[in-house]
């Protein structure tokens, strides 16, 4: 992980600290999440990454895709 320093105006800093407190996360984590969301919206060589983290699930969820999409257990 890279350590960095930023400058914020007082009001933005206080508002961001309050948001982090309400979410139960650190100010640094709020900054990381915000940057991830902002960067994910930018054009990329992997445009599907814009959807990364958008949905929650389990690693093996795709194993049942045939059942969900085609209403059968195998192709």
């Amino acid at each position: 992980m890279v350590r960095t320093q930023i400058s914020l105006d007082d009001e933005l800093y206080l508002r961001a600290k309050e948001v982090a407190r309400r979410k139960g996360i650190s100010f640094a984590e709020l900054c990381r999440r915000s940057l991830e969301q902002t960067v994910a919206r930018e054009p990329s060589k992997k445009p599907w990454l814009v959807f990364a983290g958008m949905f929650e699930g389990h690693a093996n969820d795709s194993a049942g895709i045939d059942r969900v999409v085609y209403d059968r257990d195998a192709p």
Side-chain angles (χ1 to χ4, degrees):
M1 190 172 289
V2 175
R3 187 177 180 98
T4 191
Q5 182 175 342
I6 61 171
S7 298
L8 304 171
D9 65 51
D10 293 340
E11 183 182 349
L12 178 59
Y13 175 74
L14 292 173
R15 289 175 59 204
K17 289 286 282 188
E18 177 60 22
V19 169
R21 186 193 64 75
R22 282 196 317 265
K23 291 180 174 285
I25 60 175
S26 68
F27 175 74
E29 180 63 18
L30 178 71
C31 291
R32 283 190 288 273
R33 290 179 185 186
S34 299
L35 282 169
E36 280 188 28
Q37 289 177 356
T38 300
V39 170
R41 286 191 286 259
E42 289 296 312
S44 164
K45 292 181 180 178
K46 299 177 183 175
W48 53 268
L49 282 177
V50 72
F51 300 108
M54 194 177 274
F55 305 99
E56 292 185 26
H58 303 287
N60 64 346
D61 281 349
S62 63
I65 194 70
D66 286 313
R67 188 176 355 89
V68 173
V69 176
Y70 305 110
D71 196 27
R72 63 183 185 213
D73 288 330

